[in-house]
Amino acid sequence: MKQPELGQKILELRKAKGLTQEELVELCNINVRTIQRIEAGEVTPRSYTIKSILEVLGYDFKEIQHTTEENAVINPETIGKAAFLKIAFFVGIVYFLLAFVEGIFDYGLWEAGETVSAEAAPWYIAVKIGIMLTFGVFTFGYYRLSIIKPNVIVKAASILLIIATCFGVAADIYGFNNASVWQSVQFSKAILFGALYIVFGLGLIRYQTEFGSFALVTGILSIISGIAFLSIILAIPGLFVFTIFEILQLVLLYKAYESITGKSPSPKNMDIHAFG
């Protein structure tokens, strides 16, 4: 049984038992907000959550499970939309590798305070453009995910991150022959991206109901990275946290693709122990 039918069924069973939402959550050991969202059809709970609720309500969990299996045919249109997530994942790997090359360039400029040599300039520009393109495709994967699994925060943050990266790369290329301008650009980028990754992280945390604690941890690391960038002082150490975040972000996108297309267990079971 899918939402909103599942939520309506639980609502009917709860009322038939004469239970309030507060009384039900005490018996099930879940919070009121969760049962409110389930009954409203906003989220699909994990199987063990459904089972615990139905046991309290005296309803056979196997009936719900059987109905869910019968209705488990995935919409071909949804599979088509989800296919881009897989593409974004592989492009994201290229972006991740390019980011290390970019880091070598940027660190050298920051430490030396010198301009890029004439010989290195074309490579510097090529890497920056590569970062812009691959990051754009990778992050657009999260935009597509926010359409398949509605999430207005991830949708807005994804687009803003892509736009910010385009402007950031343009500023880097413009300022690479002027060390003082280039360093000012890096400060501005740290503040801008810090704010955006905090918002993006908040959006990822909202996916916890769909993708379990894996989404929660990824979102928290995004927020920590954003705070580090905003502080400026912690921006360099924050890159280590950011690297871990990007790895989890890659894995989360691929696991979302698998769960949406039915190539892995239900997304509700995508907990942090699924990493690897």
Side-chain angles (χ1 to χ4, degrees):
M1 185 178 293
K2 296 182 179 180
Q3 288 286 29
E5 291 84 359
L6 175 61
Q8 184 63 33
K9 184 67 177 179
I10 291 174
L11 174 62
E12 292 172 357
L13 291 170
R14 176 177 62 79
K15 288 185 175 180
K17 284 281 186 179
L19 297 172
T20 64
Q21 289 181 333
E22 290 75 12
E23 291 170 336
L24 177 59
V25 297
E26 287 182 8
L27 295 171
C28 298
N29 195 29
I30 59 177
N31 61 62
V32 174
R33 180 55 181 157
T34 298
I35 196 64
Q36 288 174 342
R37 297 181 71 189
I38 292 172
E39 290 188 354
E42 295 176 1
V43 297
T44 302
R46 301 181 190 182
S47 58
Y48 67 80
T49 302
I50 299 174
K51 186 175 182 179
S52 63
I53 292 172
L54 294 179
E55 284 178 352
V56 170
L57 297 175
Y59 192 84
D60 189 356
F61 173 69
K62 291 182 179 179
E63 291 188 30
I64 292 285
Q65 200 173 31
H66 179 68
T67 308
T68 301
E69 289 171 355
E70 288 182 342
N71 295 329
V73 178
I74 302 172
N75 189 327
E77 184 179 351
T78 300
I79 294 179
K81 290 179 180 178
F84 186 81
L85 273 58
K86 187 176 182 180
I87 296 172
F89 165 76
F90 287 111
V91 174
I93 294 175
V94 177
Y95 155 71
F96 185 76
L97 296 175
L98 275 177
F100 282 97
V101 180
E102 179 193 32
I104 293 171
F105 271 114
D106 288 346
Y107 183 77
L109 283 171
W110 184 268
E111 286 294 309
E114 299 174 354
T115 59
V116 176
S117 65
E119 295 78 12
W123 292 103
Y124 179 81
I125 294 173
V127 168
K128 287 292 181 178
I129 292 176
I131 286 288
M132 180 179 66
L133 295 176
T134 54
F135 178 85
V137 174
F138 173 47
T139 306
F140 194 73
Y142 273 91
Y143 175 82
R144 293 295 290 270
L145 176 60
S146 73
I147 295 175
I148 300 169
K149 299 284 187 181
N151 188 321
V152 67
I153 298 178
V154 169
K155 179 185 290 187
S158 298
I159 293 300
L160 290 174
L161 279 168
I162 293 171
I163 293 172
T165 298
C166 292
F167 280 106
V169 167
D172 283 341
I173 293 174
Y174 174 76
F176 77 84
N177 59 353
N178 186 321
S180 60
V181 172
W182 185 88
Q183 291 187 2
S184 297
V185 167
Q186 303 316 302
F187 282 120
S188 300
K189 284 171 59 179
I191 294 172
L192 175 59
F193 281 95
L196 289 177
Y197 274 111
I198 289 173
V199 176
F200 188 64
L202 292 172
L204 292 179
I205 288 174
R206 294 185 64 181
Y207 273 137
Q208 186 182 4
T209 53
E210 280 86 7
F211 306 127
S213 58
F214 200 98
L216 174 64
V217 173
T218 307
I220 290 173
L221 289 179
S222 179
I223 293 171
I224 292 173
S225 300
I227 293 172
F229 294 155
L230 273 176
S231 71
I232 303 297
I233 297 174
L234 298 174
I236 299 300
L239 288 174
F240 292 100
V241 178
F242 187 69
T243 299
I244 298 172
F245 155 68
E246 289 194 316
I247 293 172
L248 295 185
Q249 189 185 8
L250 275 165
V251 178
L252 177 61
L253 187 63
Y254 192 79
K255 287 186 176 294
Y257 159 76
E258 287 187 325
S259 63
I260 291 169
T261 57
K263 296 185 178 182
S264 74
S266 168
K268 316 305 177 299
N269 297 323
M270 190 189 301
D271 220 327
I272 188 64
H273 64 266
F275 177 56

